[in-house]
Amino acid sequence: MMTDFELGKSTKLQTIAIRVKDRDKAISFYRDILGFDLKREENELAIFGFKGTDGEVIWLEESPRANDHFGEIKKMQRIRLSVASLEELAAICKKAKTQEATFEESVFEGNQIAVVLADPEENRIEVFYEGPQESSLPQTLEALIEVAPSELGMLSNQARFNQVHLNVSDVAKERSFLEQLGLTTKATDGFLHLNEDDFQIGLVEGQGGTIDLPTHEVLGLDFLKITINQEDLLTLEAHLTANQQEFFIDKKKHLLTTYDAIGIEWWFIVNK
């Protein structure tokens, strides 16, 4: 069901939350290989951002009693981390090789390079770099690692998660849900876009694994936190009510949460 409802321009992805069994191993991957800054640890949470900024980009939530389903299909097919420079991508790949992380795929195509790494619990992170048109880039993983700087620093704050691919058993149902949230489909690429933000959702049809299991019982992608202004939050509340979509909103009207067709929770929180 198409809808003409769209989210406002201030709406942006803020945080991705991933449920993990072994937080220490996950911290090592996201900090020591990808280069995120570990801001703090609170109870079961490890909270990451970029060095020198306050934003919270990733939450790792330790859930030792959740079922791992390793080797099976996950709700998240992969998530894309776009980096600002070839050197950043090369540094990540060099650290990944040194620490014997799993390389799942690498694609070298024109002015674009995409390298897919698996974290210790098989969550797939696509590290992506797009150079200027007609730029001359390395064409193999070995050649890419050779251009890594000698000092392998942390991620710059220009890096961002800008794409997530979800495995779903009913593509039409998930697409309808996302359109109800105000995401829009562009015919040019087939992705669902979070208004004018460059965050995109891709849907991949799949069956089995953890796709249709309750999210709190399994490891992997847990929720997406999105910032929104007060006016747009109230508009979203009215829109979901009119379309009989279940949701929770707090008494102060600062937080609205709802679940999609595969049990991923979507948080909309008023930006301050």
Side-chain angles (χ1 to χ4, degrees):
M1 179 183 66
M2 293 295 292
T3 173
D4 57 3
F5 172 71
E6 293 186 25
L7 292 167
K9 294 180 180 180
S10 67
T11 311
K12 294 184 179 299
L13 176 72
Q14 182 182 65
T15 308
I16 293 169
I18 299 174
R19 194 181 295 271
V20 300
K21 184 174 286 288
D22 189 325
R23 185 173 57 178
D24 290 340
K25 286 184 179 179
I27 286 173
S28 180
F29 178 85
Y30 288 90
R31 179 190 62 198
D32 303 333
I33 294 178
L34 293 185
F36 285 100
D37 183 29
L38 179 59
K39 298 296 185 183
R40 62 189 183 278
E41 296 183 63
E42 296 179 358
N43 301 317
E44 74 279 6
L45 287 179
I47 298 171
F48 294 84
F50 299 116
K51 190 74 173 178
T53 66
D54 295 330
E56 299 177 359
V57 180
I58 309 170
W59 286 6
L60 299 179
E61 181 181 0
E62 191 169 42
S63 301
R65 290 182 295 278
N67 297 314
D68 51 47
H69 292 272
F70 289 162
E72 299 181 38
I73 190 171
K74 289 176 170 281
K75 297 176 189 286
M76 184 173 75
Q77 196 270 348
R78 73 180 187 278
I79 190 163
R80 172 182 282 185
L81 173 67
S82 288
V83 297
S85 69
L86 180 66
E87 290 74 20
E88 277 191 301
L89 174 57
I92 289 171
C93 292
K94 184 175 182 178
K95 288 184 285 187
K97 182 178 180 180
T98 300
Q99 299 193 35
E100 300 182 338
T102 301
F103 287 85
E104 298 224 330
E105 185 181 359
S106 55
V107 178
F108 299 81
E109 189 173 289
N111 66 328
Q112 298 179 344
I113 301 176
V115 178
V116 180
L117 301 171
D119 76 5
E121 299 187 5
E122 301 177 351
N123 297 295
R124 301 170 81 243
I125 313 298
E126 175 191 340
V127 190
F128 177 82
Y129 171 70
E130 182 173 13
Q133 288 291 336
E134 308 302 327
S135 55
S136 178
L137 300 179
Q139 293 300 301
T140 66
L141 190 58
E142 292 74 17
L144 174 62
I145 291 173
E146 285 181 4
V147 304
S150 56
E151 293 293 327
L152 303 178
M154 306 186 78
L155 272 177
S156 74
N157 59 18
Q158 294 178 321
R160 67 202 185 281
F161 284 119
N162 67 340
Q163 205 177 84
V164 64
H165 295 253
L166 300 176
N167 290 311
V168 296
S169 54
D170 188 330
V171 171
K173 186 176 181 180
E174 181 73 8
R175 182 176 295 276
S176 176
F177 169 84
L178 295 172
E179 289 173 347
Q180 289 233 31
L181 292 185
L183 279 77
T184 56
T185 304
K186 292 187 178 179
T188 53
D189 59 21
F191 288 103
L192 288 126
H193 293 249
L194 187 62
N195 72 74
E196 295 184 6
D197 188 22
D198 61 0
F199 184 63
Q200 306 165 359
I201 305 286
L203 303 180
V204 182
E205 186 173 6
Q207 300 290 332
T210 70
I211 293 178
D212 294 314
L213 297 178
T215 306
H216 68 277
E217 294 181 3
V218 298
L219 303 176
L221 181 62
D222 188 10
F223 65 82
L224 301 168
K225 185 196 290 188
I226 295 166
T227 58
I228 190 169
N229 67 31
Q230 184 75 64
E231 181 181 357
D232 288 331
L233 184 73
L234 297 177
T235 302
L236 177 60
E237 177 192 15
H239 181 73
L240 295 181
T241 299
N243 285 276
Q244 299 181 324
Q245 169 67 38
E246 292 186 3
F247 64 91
F248 163 82
I249 189 166
D250 71 332
K251 292 181 179 180
K252 294 182 178 179
K253 307 281 188 176
H254 284 172
L255 171 68
L256 184 151
T257 65
T258 186
Y259 288 91
D260 68 11
I262 58 170
I264 300 299
E265 190 172 15
W266 291 69
W267 292 22
F268 292 88
I269 186 165
V270 172
N271 46 14
K272 299 178 181 179

